[in-house]
Amino acid sequence: MEKKDILILAIESSCDETAAAVVKNGREVLSNIISSQIDIHTLYGGVVPEIASRKHVERINQVIKEALSEAKVSLEEIDAIGVTYGPGLVGALLVGVSTAKALAFGAEKPLVGVHHIEGHISANYICHNELEPPFICLVVSGGHTHLVVVNDYGEYEVIGRTRDDAAGEAFDKVARAIGLGYPGGPKIDKLSKEGNMNAIEFPRASVAGAPLDFSFSGLKSAVLNYINSCKMKDIEYNKADVAASFQKAVVDVLVSHAINACNERKINKLAIAGGVAANTGIRNALVEECKRSNIQFFSPSNILCTDNAAMIGSAAYYEYIKGVRHGYDLNAVPGLKLGERL
Ligand code: KG4
Ligand code: ZN
């Protein structure tokens, strides 16, 4: 008997993108609709949680309709509804979770809650059909910096984490300090290309006793101190050099820890995930270092690095085929830990 295709309708609303997608068998994207709120949050220099929730409410139904129509499937043909239930902004998450529950109830479909970071990691399954666990994943987003061993589908072991700021947070804060605005990551990435990455020696922090952990707050302070001391001395600093030197400092630490993790665990497959994984400096350095160390490198396309629902559809599929189902009491969990099951 031929195996039936599994179609997941996935919903993502944990931060400032309202997104829905239809994914077939965990790897094939039939539609991936993202309604970004960046324009409105840019006015305030960062995400305003209350505005994010309201915009999700305004847009979510339309985004879901578009996802189904672009995929050319009806709600009846969907096998399960996947939804991000944490971590993220509680009000924003609630919009997706409530909508998913209502759809699951109304259409009598199973409901599968997904961890946002599991979604980011799963974006790699979409872009690399051949990728299968075990592998190491460097997760670098606006809220997280984790080194994870993906032992199997849905089985994660966190072996390194940030002690303070996430990598994306550091990018956003430094961008604000040099007047680039929000969101800072892509702007620093672009400006870096015009600067000299060796112009300023910023610190590469390590955490005593935890060689795979990260700390970015010292680096952020060093950049702010550099800018302030230039201002006090009335010296005009070169923004592109600051951006490039800062980015290099982040990249050096991320790359060396990721390669060390692969060597330590004797796993020769490394993936990258999360918004910061779109950074060209990180990608280029990892391609080079992985080649040197005989490690296979995997990265999602840019659109699948930043928040989207296709990645949630992929993660939901692997949970679904394992038999994971959530009830109508599924709630938003803003501080949900990776690997935690509720
Ligand atoms: O994964 P994501 O979309 O949202 C979270 O789950 O946090 O990541 C957003 C983060 C922001 O901090 C943004 O500045 C950063 O990813 N980012 C980048 C780049 N594109 C997005 N950071 C560095 N370089 C980029 N090209
Ligand atoms: Zn994210």
Side-chain angles (χ1 to χ4, degrees):
M1 199 176 77
E2 216 172 283
K3 203 173 138 257
K4 184 191 167 298
D5 287 332
I6 306 282
L7 294 176
I8 306 278
L9 169 66
I11 299 171
E12 154 66 40
S13 70
S14 65
C15 191
D16 60 347
E17 329 276 358
T18 318
V22 177
V23 177
K24 186 162 122 184
N25 300 330
R27 304 245 178 186
E28 192 183 333
V29 179
L30 303 189
S31 65
N32 188 23
I33 308 295
I34 304 168
S35 169
S36 172
Q37 307 176 359
I38 278 184
D39 289 357
I40 183 151
H41 296 294
T42 300
L43 302 176
Y44 302 93
V47 177
V48 183
E50 193 52 39
I51 295 177
S53 317
R54 275 189 232 166
K55 289 287 156 201
H56 286 311
V57 172
E58 282 170 25
R59 294 173 182 183
I60 198 152
N61 288 343
Q62 185 57 32
V63 167
I64 292 169
K65 265 191 204 155
E66 273 178 51
L68 288 169
S69 87
E70 200 178 295
K72 296 191 177 57
V73 296
S74 64
L75 189 55
E76 289 69 52
E77 291 169 277
I78 293 290
D79 293 281
I81 318 269
V83 64
T84 307
Y85 72 107
L89 302 169
V90 66
L93 287 165
L94 269 173
V95 178
V97 170
S98 317
T99 309
K101 286 199 285 190
L103 277 175
F105 179 73
E108 296 180 26
K109 301 289 178 187
L111 178 68
V112 181
V114 172
H115 190 291
H116 181 73
I117 298 300
E118 294 192 25
H120 274 301
I121 295 171
S122 303
N124 283 287
Y125 297 136
I126 296 172
C127 296
H128 303 281
N129 229 343
E130 73 282 17
L131 176 64
E132 287 191 23
F135 60 92
I136 304 267
C137 190
L138 172 66
V139 182
V140 273
S141 74
H144 298 84
T145 305
H146 281 349
L147 262 170
V148 181
V149 186
V150 182
N151 286 310
D152 203 343
Y153 291 105
E155 288 188 19
Y156 308 96
E157 189 186 337
V158 180
I159 56 171
R161 53 167 55 81
T162 181
R163 296 296 182 101
D164 38 59
D165 292 347
E169 212 174 337
F171 268 96
D172 292 337
K173 287 177 179 167
V174 166
R176 190 177 308 159
I178 55 178
L180 298 179
Y182 171 85
K187 292 182 173 153
I188 294 216
D189 194 355
K190 193 162 167 231
L191 187 60
S192 288
K193 297 190 173 103
E194 294 161 28
N196 173 3
M197 65 173 102
N198 300 313
I200 310 151
E201 186 62 31
F202 289 130
R204 274 79 169 149
S206 56
V207 178
L212 295 179
D213 278 1
F214 303 94
S215 167
F216 293 109
S217 71
L219 169 60
K220 178 193 68 193
S221 304
V223 176
L224 298 182
N225 287 342
Y226 176 83
I227 295 169
N228 287 335
S229 80
C230 288
K231 280 184 184 161
M232 264 155 48
K233 291 181 209 148
D234 225 4
I235 305 169
E236 200 164 324
Y237 64 90
N238 183 319
K239 283 187 184 184
D241 283 352
V242 173
S245 303
F246 159 76
Q247 183 170 296
K248 178 74 166 61
V250 177
V251 169
D252 280 355
V253 173
L254 291 176
V255 171
S256 66
H257 286 203
I259 301 285
N260 288 345
C262 289
N263 291 337
E264 238 173 63
R265 301 302 287 247
K266 300 195 169 41
I267 294 178
N268 67 350
K269 286 192 267 181
L270 174 66
I272 187 165
V276 184
N279 184 271
T280 41
I282 293 170
R283 282 172 180 259
N284 293 342
L286 279 174
V287 167
E288 208 169 289
E289 280 308 315
C290 284
K291 208 171 183 186
R292 205 195 310 267
S293 306
N294 245 328
I295 294 167
Q296 250 184 305
F297 176 56
F298 302 88
S299 61
S301 60
N302 276 2
I303 193 69
L304 291 176
C305 282
T306 44
D307 289 349
N308 66 87
M311 66 185 197
I312 303 302
S314 175
Y317 167 81
Y318 288 105
E319 295 292 278
Y320 175 81
I321 59 171
K322 267 202 264 175
V324 173
R325 304 287 184 270
H326 284 94
Y328 300 130
D329 58 348
L330 180 69
N331 205 352
V333 184
L336 188 64
K337 301 263 181 309
L338 190 63
E340 190 178 14
R341 293 274 175 269
L342 292 180

